[in-house]
Amino acid sequence: MEKTVVICEFNPFHNGHKHLFDEIKKARPGTLTICVMSGDFTQRGRPAVMPAMTRAKGAVECGADAVVALPTVFSVAPAEIFAKGAVKMASAMKDVTCLAFGCECQDVDVLVRAARETLSADFSSRLKEQLLRGIGYAAAYEKAYTDMGGQEGIFSKPNNILAAEYIRAADEINFNPDFFAVPRAGANHGSTSPKGAIASSSFIRANMAEPAKIAPFAPPNIISDIEARGADISDAFFSAARVSVLRDGAEELKKAYGCTEGLEKLIYDACARGENPEEKANKRYSRSRISRILCANLLKITRADTEMCLGSELYIRPLSVKREKKDEMLSDLSESAFPLCLRGRDFSALRGAAKFSAEKDETARLMYRALGGKEDEKPLFL
């Protein structure tokens, strides 16, 4: 049966994500919706506010047919690598005919055309030039595109940039799904204020201690999960990350994705002074970039490790599956290009990059628990 893949974090799941699910079902009746979701650490370079199993369970309760894990080596990487890793996982599964995503662009054809224009050597050169000038990634992306004659405003929005990375990643590996874009409704990405029935994940994360305040903006089961399993363990994370930096030294930091241009010295010096390196963010170095470097260093994931995994066979690990679709889904997933891992013996059979990736996923799970995350062992089938 045909499948639509949603690449996600659900940190946490909210009404905007439910809107995306609803639009997929309207536009593609009968499709199975599979989410490729980051685990206990996210692309912001921080621990998720709820464990991966809880977030996966919530997504299935809200309409997904299955959630599979995005390996940690990709989930804590820059947007381009996050996208490449997630699309790699989507392309490995049987009968995936569509990639669906939310974005700010109202016309998916315009977005697809723009994304493909950024595959050119001209764009890459212009983007590198803008980044060397010290401006942020999103601003550099927009400026590079408009300088080569592209339509203004396409890449001034974060969801458009991430969607473009999915399209670019699919083209680069000759993966040819349909692209289904759902214009973002309600509050904008990162907004500190709700709009209608939709608030950003940022707003919900900032107000988790007040369930009544966030209740209008997420399904009831998600609010219950937040009350039971939600936790902000950022302080513990940054403490552990600083200790890791001081133990390993600035030179070790340079092995992490995105740690260039002397950023390792800025991070190390902040740690040595007992400061939070994220507070050193500026137009050139975003908070998320600094945090991703700290996270990768803490988990001992280098650029070379991530690139090895990008070029290798990995594995498919379901986090949650709708019970009534269990037999069909597991049968299909067992025919993926990568081995299906459900039990200990499946993981024991992994070799090479797949084994390395699985070990890093387990390290991330244990680290999340050690930092104070509320580990959850929910049943696989719901």
Side-chain angles (χ1 to χ4, degrees):
M1 180 177 286
E2 77 163 44
K3 300 175 185 67
T4 293
V5 164
V6 175
I7 298 167
C8 57
E9 295 200 296
F10 298 152
N11 188 37
F13 190 97
H14 56 65
N15 289 346
H17 300 129
K18 183 64 167 62
H19 173 67
L20 174 60
F21 282 1
D22 292 344
E23 292 300 305
I24 291 170
K25 292 184 185 302
K26 287 180 191 175
R28 305 181 75 89
T31 190
L32 293 174
T33 301
I34 299 185
C35 300
V36 176
M37 189 190 79
S38 57
D40 292 322
F41 291 84
T42 69
Q43 207 267 330
R44 295 169 60 242
R46 290 193 177 196
V49 295
M50 290 186 288
M53 296 295 286
T54 301
R55 287 161 34 238
K57 172 192 73 74
V60 168
E61 290 172 342
C62 289
D65 293 296
V67 178
V68 302
L70 175 66
T72 304
V73 292
F74 304 135
S75 68
V76 299
E80 177 186 1
I81 307 306
F82 175 94
K84 285 183 177 181
V87 170
K88 176 185 177 77
M89 301 301 292
S91 69
M93 292 184 281
K94 179 184 176 183
D95 295 335
V96 172
T97 59
C98 179
L99 279 181
F101 42 77
C103 62
E104 294 87 0
C105 186
Q106 300 291 315
D107 188 336
V108 69
D109 291 333
V110 169
L111 185 61
V112 170
R113 183 167 61 251
R116 287 175 174 160
E117 288 170 351
T118 65
L119 285 167
S120 69
D122 182 28
F123 174 79
S124 296
S125 175
R126 291 175 186 272
L127 178 60
K128 183 177 181 180
E129 179 183 343
Q130 294 300 327
L131 290 171
L132 287 173
R133 290 180 179 179
I135 65 176
Y137 188 77
Y141 209 103
E142 168 76 0
K143 186 70 166 60
Y145 183 61
T146 55
D147 280 356
M148 61 182 277
Q151 180 179 327
E152 289 188 8
I154 294 293
F155 294 126
S156 63
K157 303 293 185 181
N159 290 117
N160 284 352
I161 293 176
L162 193 53
E165 294 291 7
Y166 298 151
I167 296 164
R168 285 161 53 103
D171 282 359
E172 286 179 8
I173 61 172
N174 297 313
F175 176 43
N176 299 299
D178 296 333
F179 298 112
F180 179 64
V182 176
R184 189 178 179 100
N188 291 328
H189 176 85
S191 173
T192 57
S193 300
K195 185 176 180 181
I198 295 178
S200 68
S201 293
S202 299
F203 175 87
I204 295 175
R205 287 194 298 268
N207 293 281
M208 288 195 310
E210 301 179 71
K213 188 172 182 177
I214 61 175
F217 309 114
N221 64 302
I222 303 299
I223 299 299
S224 295
D225 286 342
I226 289 172
E227 290 184 276
R229 297 286 175 182
D232 181 356
I233 56 175
S234 297
D235 288 347
F237 163 72
F238 282 116
S239 293
R242 288 197 298 270
V243 169
S244 179
V245 169
L246 295 174
R247 177 197 63 201
D248 297 334
E251 284 300 305
E252 193 70 15
L253 282 174
K254 291 167 69 173
K255 297 179 182 179
Y257 237 116
C259 195
T260 58
E261 306 159 1
L263 185 50
E264 74 281 356
K265 187 175 187 306
L266 182 149
I267 293 174
Y268 182 85
D269 288 349
C271 291
R273 291 191 296 267
E275 300 168 350
N276 181 349
E278 214 186 48
E279 299 302 325
K280 302 302 178 182
N282 52 39
K283 289 184 178 180
R284 187 169 193 171
Y285 306 129
S286 70
R287 296 175 71 91
S288 292
R289 180 177 175 182
I290 292 171
S291 193
R292 278 193 298 271
I293 292 167
L294 290 170
C295 190
N297 188 67
L298 179 65
L299 298 173
K300 309 311 296 177
I301 297 172
T302 69
R303 180 186 182 114
D305 295 333
T306 303
E307 290 179 347
M308 172 186 68
C309 292
L310 271 178
S312 305
E313 179 182 282
L314 297 175
Y315 61 96
I316 302 292
R317 178 192 170 208
L319 295 174
S320 190
V321 178
K322 189 171 290 185
R323 185 174 294 279
E324 57 265 35
K325 303 287 180 63
K326 168 188 171 183
D327 293 338
E328 176 185 16
M329 187 65 69
L330 293 186
S331 176
D332 271 14
L333 290 178
S334 70
E335 296 183 45
S336 300
F338 303 154
L340 176 65
C341 288
L342 291 171
R343 304 169 186 85
R345 65 173 178 268
D346 299 328
F347 289 95
S348 297
L350 296 176
R351 296 292 181 268
K355 180 181 179 182
F356 174 85
S357 180
E359 289 172 346
K360 289 302 174 183
D361 289 346
E362 178 63 5
T363 296
R365 184 186 72 83
L366 294 173
M367 187 72 73
Y368 184 84
R369 184 176 66 183
L371 293 173
K374 299 180 180 180
E375 189 175 27
D376 196 0
E377 293 295 339
K378 292 292 183 182
L380 175 62
F381 307 110
L382 295 171

